[in-house]
Amino acid sequence: MSDESTIGTRLRDLMETARVSENELARRADVPQPTIHRILKGTSKSPRISNLEKIATALGTTTGYLAHGDVLPQRAGLNEVSDHGSTASMSGPSGLPFPNVLATVATAGVHRLAKAKPTPPTYHYPLLSWTQAAAILQSYSAAESVDLRVEPSGFQTKGTGFWLEVKGDAMAAPTGVAPSLPEGTMVLFDSDEPAIPGKLVLATIPDSQGATFRKLIEESGQRYLKPLNPSYPLILLDKTSEIIAVALEARTRL
């Protein structure tokens, strides 16, 4: 038996009930955030069963309910072990208590289970080309492609998050000067991070088909894009230019 809702609507209802965002669910389920976004939007009508299984587990539901709306089975509640080593009755069909590890541990005099330290959250974002990044504000489809490689980060973005690999040496500062982002450096960007002077930003400029990565500065009320390599010129940020995203993290591959 199934309901008439879609996978996307069931997933959204579960996420709202659990009060988790797309990024948080991606972290818990170890599923790329663009995949979850496609399911919610209905553009992915037949998601991989492996992804559905991980999402269902993260939300405490079943794959059958998520995929088809199957009725959820009722689960019997388990009573907790008290601080004084006693356990409430957990009986089987014969009325005899089930043997369980918690009761054994409590009888041995261990009154409270130690809490494991929470692991730092990990988020996954797609690695885009420079052309895709230049069009990211007009269409989210670039970040939705199933063919894109995803890379982890400890940062949670406010908006659309994506990685870029630095090309050229315009952002390679002189020796001893920081920051320096030589060619090959992986940079994580956030489309909703405020672009204020001093930040490293990704922007579009006239007569350029791709995006430009520079440091945003302001002088006499006018904003410029400044390279970290002083051999490159300043770029005037005029009304036809647009800031796409702000850099959050840089990672150099050896």
Side-chain angles (χ1 to χ4, degrees):
M1 181 178 179
S2 62
D3 61 22
E4 296 181 355
S5 62
T6 64
I7 297 177
T9 56
R10 286 190 291 273
L11 176 58
R12 187 172 299 280
D13 288 343
L14 290 168
M15 290 172 62
E16 289 177 353
T17 299
R19 296 182 180 180
V20 296
S21 64
E22 291 182 27
N23 278 325
E24 177 62 17
L25 180 56
R27 181 188 70 80
R28 295 184 185 182
D30 195 23
V31 172
Q33 182 266 339
T35 297
I36 293 173
H37 184 82
R38 288 197 304 273
I39 296 174
L40 288 170
K41 291 294 185 182
T43 55
S44 178
K45 301 184 184 299
S46 299
R48 295 178 182 176
I49 189 64
S50 59
N51 286 334
L52 286 183
E53 288 174 347
K54 290 189 284 188
I55 292 172
T57 299
L59 291 173
T61 186
T62 65
T63 307
Y65 172 76
L66 195 58
H68 309 294
D70 294 347
V71 177
L72 292 171
Q74 293 184 348
R75 294 182 295 181
L78 296 179
N79 293 315
E80 296 181 353
V81 179
S82 74
D83 288 344
H84 301 292
S86 62
T87 57
S89 175
M90 293 183 285
S91 302
S94 63
L96 296 176
F98 285 119
N100 62 88
V101 175
L102 289 181
T104 302
V105 172
T107 303
V110 179
H111 304 310
R112 195 182 296 272
L113 295 178
K115 292 183 179 180
K117 291 183 179 180
T119 56
T122 301
Y123 306 94
H124 293 82
Y125 303 102
L127 174 62
L128 301 186
S129 69
W130 286 79
T131 302
Q132 288 172 325
I136 196 69
L137 295 184
Q138 284 70 44
S139 173
Y140 190 75
S141 60
E144 291 181 329
S145 173
V146 295
D147 298 325
L148 291 176
R149 191 178 92 199
V150 295
E151 292 287 339
S153 172
F155 284 88
Q156 181 177 14
T157 60
K158 299 175 182 177
T160 302
F162 57 92
W163 290 95
L164 278 181
E165 186 173 342
V166 175
K167 304 295 183 183
D169 63 351
M171 295 300 281
T175 303
V177 178
S180 181
L181 306 174
E183 185 170 23
T185 302
M186 298 281 292
V187 180
L188 175 64
F189 292 90
D190 183 355
S191 64
D192 285 1
E193 182 72 15
I196 60 177
K199 294 283 189 178
L200 301 181
V201 302
L202 195 69
T204 57
I205 56 177
D207 302 323
S208 177
Q209 296 182 347
T212 300
F213 181 35
R214 296 289 191 273
K215 182 179 181 179
L216 180 64
I217 65 170
E218 185 172 340
E219 293 182 1
S220 302
Q222 180 61 58
R223 296 196 300 174
Y224 297 88
L225 298 177
K226 179 182 180 180
L228 299 182
N229 186 337
S231 64
Y232 286 78
L234 284 175
I235 300 174
L236 175 65
L237 194 63
D238 60 20
K239 294 181 180 180
T240 61
S241 304
E242 185 177 23
I243 294 179
I244 302 169
V246 175
L248 295 183
E249 177 186 8
R251 183 184 303 160
T252 302
R253 293 179 178 273
L254 299 178

